[in-house]
Coordinates of all heavy atoms in Angstrom, one line a residue:
N160 N 146.9 110.7 109.1 CA 145.9 111.7 108.8 C 144.5 111.3 109.1 O 143.5 111.9 108.6 CB 146.1 112.3 107.4 CG 146.0 111.2 106.4 OD1 145.9 110.0 106.8 ND2 146.2 111.5 105.1
N161 N 144.4 110.1 109.8 CA 143.0 109.6 110.0 C 143.0 109.1 111.5 O 143.3 107.9 111.8 CB 142.7 108.4 109.0 CG 141.4 107.8 109.3 OD1 140.7 108.0 110.3 ND2 140.9 107.1 108.2
P162 N 142.8 110.0 112.5 CA 142.9 109.6 113.9 C 142.1 108.4 114.3 O 142.6 107.6 115.1 CB 142.5 110.9 114.6 CG 142.5 112.0 113.6 CD 142.4 111.4 112.3
K163 N 140.9 108.2 113.7 CA 140.1 107.1 114.2 C 140.8 105.8 113.7 O 141.0 104.8 114.5 CB 138.7 107.2 113.5 CG 137.8 106.2 114.1 CD 136.4 106.5 113.6 CE 135.5 105.3 113.9 NZ 134.3 105.3 113.0
R164 N 141.3 105.7 112.5 CA 141.9 104.5 112.0 C 143.2 104.3 112.8 O 143.6 103.2 113.1 CB 142.2 104.6 110.5 CG 142.7 103.2 110.0 CD 142.7 103.0 108.6 NE 141.4 103.3 108.0 CZ 141.1 103.0 106.7 NH1 142.0 102.5 105.9 NH2 139.9 103.3 106.3
Y165 N 143.9 105.4 113.0 CA 145.2 105.3 113.8 C 145.0 104.7 115.1 O 145.8 103.8 115.6 CB 145.9 106.7 113.9 CG 147.2 106.6 114.5 CD1 148.3 105.9 114.0 CD2 147.5 107.3 115.7 CE1 149.5 105.9 114.6 CE2 148.7 107.3 116.3 CZ 149.7 106.6 115.8 OH 150.9 106.5 116.4
R166 N 143.9 105.1 115.8 CA 143.6 104.5 117.1 C 143.4 103.0 117.0 O 143.9 102.2 117.8 CB 142.3 105.2 117.7 CG 142.7 106.4 118.5 CD 141.5 106.9 119.4 NE 140.3 107.1 118.7 CZ 140.0 108.3 118.1 NH1 140.9 109.3 118.1 NH2 138.9 108.5 117.5
W167 N 142.6 102.6 115.9 CA 142.4 101.1 115.7 C 143.7 100.4 115.4 O 143.9 99.3 115.9 CB 141.4 100.9 114.7 CG 140.0 101.0 115.2 CD1 139.1 102.0 115.0 CD2 139.4 100.1 116.1 NE1 137.9 101.8 115.7 CE2 138.1 100.6 116.5 CE3 139.7 98.9 116.7 CZ2 137.2 100.0 117.3 CZ3 138.9 98.2 117.6 CH2 137.6 98.8 117.9
Q168 N 144.6 101.1 114.7 CA 145.9 100.4 114.4 C 146.6 100.2 115.6 O 147.2 99.1 115.8 CB 146.7 101.3 113.4 CG 146.2 101.4 112.0 CD 147.1 102.3 111.1 OE1 147.5 103.4 111.6 NE2 147.3 101.9 109.9
R169 N 146.6 101.2 116.6 CA 147.3 101.0 117.8 C 146.7 100.0 118.7 O 147.4 99.1 119.3 CB 147.4 102.4 118.6 CG 148.1 103.5 117.8 CD 149.6 103.2 117.7 NE 150.2 103.0 119.0 CZ 150.7 104.0 119.8 NH1 150.7 105.3 119.3 NH2 151.3 103.8 120.9
R170 N 145.4 100.0 118.7 CA 144.7 99.0 119.6 C 144.9 97.6 119.1 O 145.1 96.7 119.9 CB 143.1 99.2 119.5 CG 142.6 100.1 120.5 CD 141.1 100.2 120.4 NE 140.7 101.5 120.8 CZ 139.8 102.3 120.1 NH1 139.3 102.0 119.0 NH2 139.5 103.5 120.6
L171 N 144.9 97.3 117.8 CA 145.0 96.0 117.3 C 146.4 95.5 117.0 O 146.6 94.4 116.6 CB 144.1 95.8 116.1 CG 142.6 96.0 116.3 CD1 141.9 96.0 115.0 CD2 142.1 95.0 117.2

Side-chain angles (χ1 to χ4, degrees):
N160 56 1
N161 180 341
K163 191 173 165 201
R164 186 166 306 188
Y165 183 60
R166 275 197 299 278
W167 277 108
Q168 288 181 320
R169 297 293 303 271
R170 268 183 211 133
L171 295 177

